[in-house]
Amino acid sequence: MFPEILSPAIVDLLIEATRQTLYMVAISGLVGTLIGLPLGVFLATSRSGELFAAPWLNHTLGLVVNAARSTPFIILVVAIIPFTRLIAGTSIGTNAAIVPLTVAAAPFIARLIEAAIREVDQGLVEAARAMGASPLQIVRKVLLPEALPSITLALTLAVVSLLGYSAMVGAVGGGGLGDLGIRFGYQRFMPEVMAAVVIVLIVLVQGVQSVGDLLARRLDKRNRG
Amino acid sequence: MNAPLSILPPPPASAGAAGAIHPVTDTAAVIRFEGVEKTFPARSGSGAVSALTDVNLAVPEGAIVGVIGRSGAGKSTLIRLVNGLERPTAGRIVVDGTDITALSERGLRQARRSIGMIFQHFNLLARRTAFENVALPLEIAGIPAREIKSRVEPLLDLVGLADKRDRYPAELSGGQKQRVGIARALATRPRVLLSDEATSALDPETTNQILALLRKVNAELKLTVLLITHEMAVIKAVADRVAVLDGGRIVEDGSTFDIFARPQHPTTRSFLSALTGSTLPPHLADRLKPAHTPGAEAVVRIVFTGTHATDPVLSRVSRLLSIDINIIQAQVDDIAGQPFGVIVVSLPGDAATVAGVTNAIARLGLASEVIGYVS
């Protein structure tokens, strides 16, 4: 289908851009989850009277998360260039783009995980405490497993959002589908490239969402029988 | 309730006052509350809340003790103090010889493994099967997988759910969920079982099955059970002893039979009224007057207990005093294995006849009470 409308060179570019987008989203999603998951669990369990009660730290981290989340992504990308250089060794290219993507994803994921954990019935926490479970055991054996369907949906949402964010990292030479769309589709007046980019993105988002939904349904044992 | 003109025997000296308890011999008590107070600190918008005041209670080994109270009476707080889910503001709670109030968090976690607990809403993990739910406390205690299997299966047998082993809670009925809850509470082989309104979310028939199961584990496993409820029917069905909680104080406590036969406190009477026929039919209750008027009939409640429960008391009194006695309401029941009956009668209301009847009944060893007059 594509070869008839798009030249082989453009198709190659499209494939390369898709590969870059997937690479950026995968790494930033993974690292963002590694940071966001524990952060989210902590945010959900550290208000006063909760398992890891540390109201001050909870409040402070909450402020930091809010600050990160309220910064428009394109500004975040530029604002943290020194940090990006420190981590990635460069401020330009796909690897460099992963840094701001991760910085944006981690607090977003943390808030989603927090919401998912807070959904777990407090009665289960009480039951686990009554069994003699430690706070860490309650997180491992009760909160995370019970929240898993919600967490799956949360991470699906995060990945879809990252696909959107990744379109903006062209600003720092990150490449990817969004960058291709802007440079060829918009700046070179090639609407067929723009259309192809949008179609690929739609297919990716649909695919991610379907897989996420399916997984969450499989994991959810609440609506049986 | 209509003001009870009590002619029941007066309560023992000083009883009726706060914490008037006759503790069972201390050495036999598996759970003991000693002068327990619990006050919840003030929050924005509301002042400090006193949940429990001067609570003294002894739960004898192997007994089923019920604490009954309305919502807000402090019974949830009371049961949570036993396994340290709540800490008292003052006083001590001793469980199986260990002062729970003196334990660190770590010590408390260890102690909780010998105190099982079941809940009104079961609190089962939705993503674990029946088997896996029962296994949870054992996993938490660090018991190896093979041993877990050998301990969980007999428990599922005990509660009659061997065939539901691999079902998720959403696939089980309320009664089955509570059976899983009971099996889970028993997994660590506790000496004490706490039941927090365990049958309040169940229909009457299922409630009876669950209560029968509680009695079974109490007998077979020599388990001491402390349960809280707002239903006298639950107390009647399983409890050996009962404590009545009102406004954070234990206002009455004793053997279930004694409390049923000779309730002292208005709260107790009100709980019992629904059960033992001390509520009069509305057409009568509306016409009930506290004082005698000429021509009025006296309405008398007679409580039949123990050995006299089956005596033909009414016909004897009727013959003795040559009066007609009209039965308004009667109920014979079985409480803690003893026959127990309540009969409400009407008879000529003049002072001499009433005195004659109550004296005659007292001589026959029964308690009676004039609850009012109707004309």
Side-chain angles (χ1 to χ4, degrees), chain B:
Chain B
M1 271 198 76
N2 28 65
L5 290 165
S6 183
I7 57 163
L8 292 177
S14 91
I21 309 303
H22 355 281
V24 194
T25 30
D26 266 7
T27 44
V30 172
I31 306 173
R32 212 162 62 235
F33 286 75
E34 296 174 356
V36 172
E37 314 264 336
K38 174 68 181 179
T39 307
F40 290 103
R43 289 232 215 117
S44 53
S46 67
V49 180
S50 173
L52 291 174
T53 311
D54 192 28
V55 169
N56 293 283
L57 182 69
V59 179
E61 180 162 16
I64 301 185
V65 172
V67 174
I68 188 163
R70 299 193 181 91
S71 51
K75 48 190 196 307
S76 291
T77 308
L78 184 134
I79 204 164
R80 277 166 181 69
L81 287 166
V82 178
N83 59 3
L85 291 177
E86 299 278 2
R87 299 280 201 164
T89 314
R92 295 203 314 160
I93 294 109
V94 181
V95 179
D96 208 3
T98 309
D99 181 358
I100 290 291
T101 34
L103 291 176
S104 64
E105 262 307 310
R106 181 179 292 270
L108 205 48
R109 287 207 284 274
Q110 203 58 44
R112 281 170 180 156
R113 286 173 194 166
S114 55
I115 306 172
M117 190 169 189
I118 55 176
F119 304 87
Q120 179 175 5
H121 298 295
F122 324 121
N123 293 350
L124 300 179
L125 274 65
R127 295 196 55 252
R128 280 176 172 246
T129 61
F131 180 96
E132 291 165 343
N133 265 289
V134 178
L136 180 61
L138 299 172
E139 289 173 26
I140 284 169
I143 288 164
R146 194 182 313 139
E147 197 186 332
I148 288 179
K149 190 166 149 43
S150 70
R151 281 173 67 167
V152 171
E153 277 168 357
L155 281 166
L156 287 172
D157 275 338
L158 178 76
V159 300
L161 283 182
D163 58 327
K164 304 284 186 219
R165 185 186 189 279
D166 297 319
R167 298 288 174 165
Y168 289 94
E171 299 170 296
L172 300 175
S173 70
Q176 291 169 336
K177 283 183 210 170
Q178 196 57 288
R179 285 167 189 275
V180 176
I182 291 170
R184 181 177 72 175
L186 299 177
T188 50
R189 295 174 182 152
R191 292 203 59 204
V192 171
L193 179 67
L194 306 175
S195 165
D196 179 5
E197 296 271 11
T199 57
S200 298
L202 303 174
D203 61 63
E205 195 183 330
T206 313
T207 293
N208 287 337
Q209 291 167 1
I210 293 297
L211 293 177
L213 178 59
L214 280 184
R215 246 202 319 245
K216 177 177 154 188
V217 298
N218 162 256
E220 285 183 13
L221 308 175
K222 308 263 177 292
L223 198 67
T224 306
V225 180
L226 176 64
L227 63 88
I228 62 170
T229 182
H230 62 271
E231 293 172 306
M232 220 35 164
V234 169
I235 299 286
K236 190 182 129 194
V238 290
D240 304 313
R241 297 181 66 81
V242 57
V244 182
L245 198 63
D246 187 40
R249 292 171 183 274
I250 293 185
V251 294
E252 192 161 358
D253 108 316
S255 84
T256 303
F257 189 82
D258 287 347
I259 297 286
F260 270 71
R262 289 177 285 279
Q264 306 293 331
H265 194 272
T267 305
T268 317
R269 287 165 179 263
S270 134
F271 273 120
L272 283 171
S273 67
L275 261 190
T276 52
S278 47
T279 330
L280 292 173
H283 69 92
L284 198 66
D286 291 345
R287 283 159 47 213
L288 207 65
K289 307 248 166 34
H292 176 61
T293 49
E297 297 244 294
V299 179
V300 178
R301 173 165 43 220
I302 306 167
V303 178
F304 293 74
T305 55
T307 51
H308 297 292
T310 51
D311 288 1
V313 173
L314 283 186
S315 58
R316 258 187 231 174
V317 171
S318 174
R319 253 180 292 142
L320 202 67
L321 301 174
S322 315
I323 52 164
D324 288 325
I325 297 178
N326 181 27
I327 297 177
I328 294 171
Q329 198 175 48
Q331 190 176 353
V332 180
D333 224 327
D334 189 294
I335 291 161
Q338 299 183 59
F340 175 82
V342 175
I343 295 189
V344 178
V345 297
S346 71
L347 44 90
D350 58 283
T353 310
V354 172
V357 170
T358 49
N359 285 336
I361 291 170
R363 275 200 303 280
L364 292 167
L366 297 178
S368 65
E369 177 188 7
V370 179
I371 52 182
Y373 297 87
V374 282
S375 45

Side-chain angles (χ1 to χ4, degrees), chain A residues 19-106:
Chain A
R19 202 193 56 77
Q20 286 170 334
T21 291
L22 290 177
Y23 172 70
M24 288 188 292
V25 170
I27 302 291
S28 59
L30 194 72
V31 180
T33 304
L34 288 179
I35 299 166
L37 186 71
L39 186 57
V41 169
F42 182 78
L43 286 172
T45 53
S46 57
R47 288 192 200 151
S48 71
E50 294 180 333
L51 288 178
F52 298 98
W56 260 99
L57 190 54
N58 179 293
H59 194 68
T60 311
L61 283 174
L63 284 177
V64 172
V65 164
N66 287 347
R69 292 205 48 213
S70 47
T71 311
F73 182 66
I74 193 72
I75 293 174
L76 184 79
V77 170
V78 182
I80 65 163
I81 282 179
F83 178 69
T84 303
R85 196 172 285 133
L86 188 75
I87 300 288
T90 170
S91 60
I92 292 173
T94 309
N95 280 327
I98 288 171
V99 177
L101 279 173
T102 305
V103 169

